[in-house]
Each structure stands twice: as C-alpha cells, then as structure tokens.
Amino acid sequence: RVMPGFTIDDDGSGVTAEPEDDVTLEDIDGDPIDIDDVIIRIRHLTQDELAAEKAAITDKGYAVEENDTLDGYDISLVDRNDDHVSITSSAGIKITLPYGGIDRSTHSFTLYHNDTDNGIELIAFSSADEGIVFVGHRFSAYTFTASPKSTGNDDTSSDGDTTSSDGDTTSPNGD
C-alpha cells in the first residue's frame, strides 16, 4: 500500500497514497527533499469540519442536497520535523479515498479540494473498486459528496459523472 520509504500517518481511514515515479519535493526552506524523508498525514474530518466544508462548498455556488452524503479527509505532506513539504513537479501523489460504505452503483460523486489559497475547487478523479482516485499536488481538506442517482424512468437522467478523453471520471462540470 506504500512505496518503500514513503510513510503514511493515517488514522485508520483506509486512504491510500502512492507517489508518482517522477515526483520531486522541496522542504519549507525550498531545498530538495527525498521521498524517504516525507510523511503524508491523513485524518478523517470531524462532523464539525464536514459542516464547515459543506458551508464553503455551497458558498462557492455548488449544490449539496439534503440527501447527499458528505465525507472528507485532511491531508498534509510534512518532513520528519513536521514542517510543510511542497511538490515541485507536474507529478504528484496518487490518493485513493474509500467510498465509506456508499454504493457507487447507486450514487454519483463529486470531489472538492479546499485549497488554502484559492478556496473550494472541483477535482478530476476516477472511480475504482477501492474508492475515488486522484493525483494530488497540493494538500489540505478533500471532501466528496455522494448523491443518490435518479431511480425514476426519466431517460434524460445522468449519473452525474462524465468520462474525459483519458478515461477519468470527472465532476459533472467536466472539471
């Protein structure tokens, strides 16, 4: 589940992380740092934090319906001294967020990143049996909504996910 030397400090959430081959990193002073000296910290968001994320998502103009499920994780990249680490390449870290018991055949998913500089942004992802998969380049809170798919006979309904040319499942807006 983890590349040799890359450490995951996880609260048991089931999130997985794997650096891409060409990822390059720098420490808080801007000096290169080896992946062996990096820790990815993953923490499941509390109910209060999820409520704050929901408010930020809706304040940005995205709809979170009453029957949607919201789940999320705080993810950070640090060195062994607990100082911030940045990714400096186009390669990133492949993250898989588990569905949390949500049936993906009956739900549509949207993934949001609460970027510390830019606020809420939609993140492209793919769906796998294990969960929502994306490549992260900046880390803080990642939250997803799971919306029940329409069960009516409306032939124009969609599952909310679209497929990009590279086969990734993306948000309904194509982001």
Side-chain angles (χ1 to χ4, degrees):
R1 138 170 199 204
V2 182
M3 287 183 68
F6 184 66
T7 304
I8 292 184
D9 181 9
D10 182 352
D11 66 358
S13 63
V15 174
T16 61
E18 183 178 330
E20 292 185 311
D21 290 337
D22 297 336
V23 70
T24 56
L25 308 157
E26 68 181 30
D27 65 18
I28 197 163
D29 297 322
D31 297 323
I33 186 171
D34 190 82
I35 193 74
D36 292 343
D37 296 320
V38 174
I39 300 167
I40 188 164
R41 292 227 160 95
I42 302 164
R43 184 181 56 80
H44 208 183
L45 295 177
T46 65
Q47 289 302 314
D48 288 343
E49 290 169 321
L50 285 170
E53 289 298 304
K54 180 179 179 180
I57 290 166
T58 57
D59 285 350
K60 185 78 175 196
Y62 299 110
V64 179
E65 302 299 330
E66 184 71 29
N67 58 350
D68 288 353
T69 301
L70 193 69
D71 202 358
Y73 302 87
D74 182 43
I75 302 174
S76 60
L77 221 53
V78 297
D79 64 15
R80 305 250 177 234
N81 295 319
D82 208 30
D83 290 324
H84 177 74
V85 171
S86 299
I87 296 174
T88 58
S89 60
S90 60
I93 297 178
K94 180 181 166 187
I95 306 287
T96 304
L97 305 178
Y99 295 118
I102 301 167
D103 184 352
R104 74 177 179 150
S105 69
T106 60
H107 288 78
S108 299
F109 294 84
T110 305
L111 179 62
Y112 303 93
H113 176 226
N114 195 345
D115 182 63
T116 53
D117 295 327
N118 303 316
I120 297 294
E121 57 187 358
L122 288 171
I123 300 296
F125 66 92
S126 61
S127 295
D129 288 341
E130 304 80 35
I132 295 169
V133 180
F134 66 98
V135 175
H137 296 92
R138 297 175 324 276
F139 297 98
S140 51
Y142 282 90
T143 306
F144 67 85
T145 58
S147 304
K149 293 180 181 177
S150 173
T151 57
N153 292 330
D154 181 3
D155 290 336
T156 62
S157 67
S158 168
D159 67 2
D161 291 337
T162 59
T163 302
S164 64
S165 59
D166 61 2
D168 284 348
T169 304
T170 60
S171 68
N173 295 350
D175 296 332

